[in-house]
Amino acid sequence: MPSSLENIKKRLDERIGSKLTITSQAGRKKVTRRHGVLVKTFPRVFIIELDDSAVKTVSFTYTDILTKSIELNFDDYFGDEE
């Protein structure tokens, strides 16, 4: 996993347009998984367009990845990144 916010942003910049699965903590022992596409990155946040959801887009900060509040798994990658 990238160790700085700058590295996280650079890696996500390379993956714009890629399909992914977002895993986030929704409570004490509850985890939610949603599927979508990484649409755009900004200096502090990135935007994901969700598939089959009432909410069409969500945004997260790079800190969410660094602190492991969310986990991104890209559908076309089979390594141990992100």
Side-chain angles (χ1 to χ4, degrees):
M1 168 155 65
S3 59
S4 74
L5 298 177
E6 183 179 312
N7 288 340
I8 292 169
K9 183 180 182 324
K10 285 180 186 177
R11 293 215 178 172
L12 289 179
D13 285 340
E14 297 169 0
R15 309 294 289 197
I16 291 175
S18 298
K19 291 186 176 193
L20 55 84
T21 301
I22 310 154
T23 305
S24 60
Q25 299 297 325
R28 244 181 99 172
K29 293 184 179 183
K30 189 174 181 182
V31 174
T32 60
R33 286 188 179 83
R34 296 184 277 182
H35 302 281
V37 176
L38 178 60
V39 178
K40 189 158 183 156
T41 61
F42 294 98
R44 304 235 187 269
V45 299
F46 58 96
I47 308 296
I48 296 174
E49 189 174 284
L50 299 175
D51 299 339
D52 301 326
S53 177
V55 178
K56 298 294 180 192
T57 60
V58 291
S59 63
F60 296 99
T61 65
Y62 304 110
T63 305
D64 292 331
I65 296 173
L66 189 64
T67 60
K68 299 182 181 179
S69 297
I70 64 166
E71 181 181 320
L72 302 179
N73 294 305
F74 289 93
D75 295 349
D76 60 346
Y77 188 78
F78 299 102
D80 59 352
E81 198 176 302
E82 267 104 23

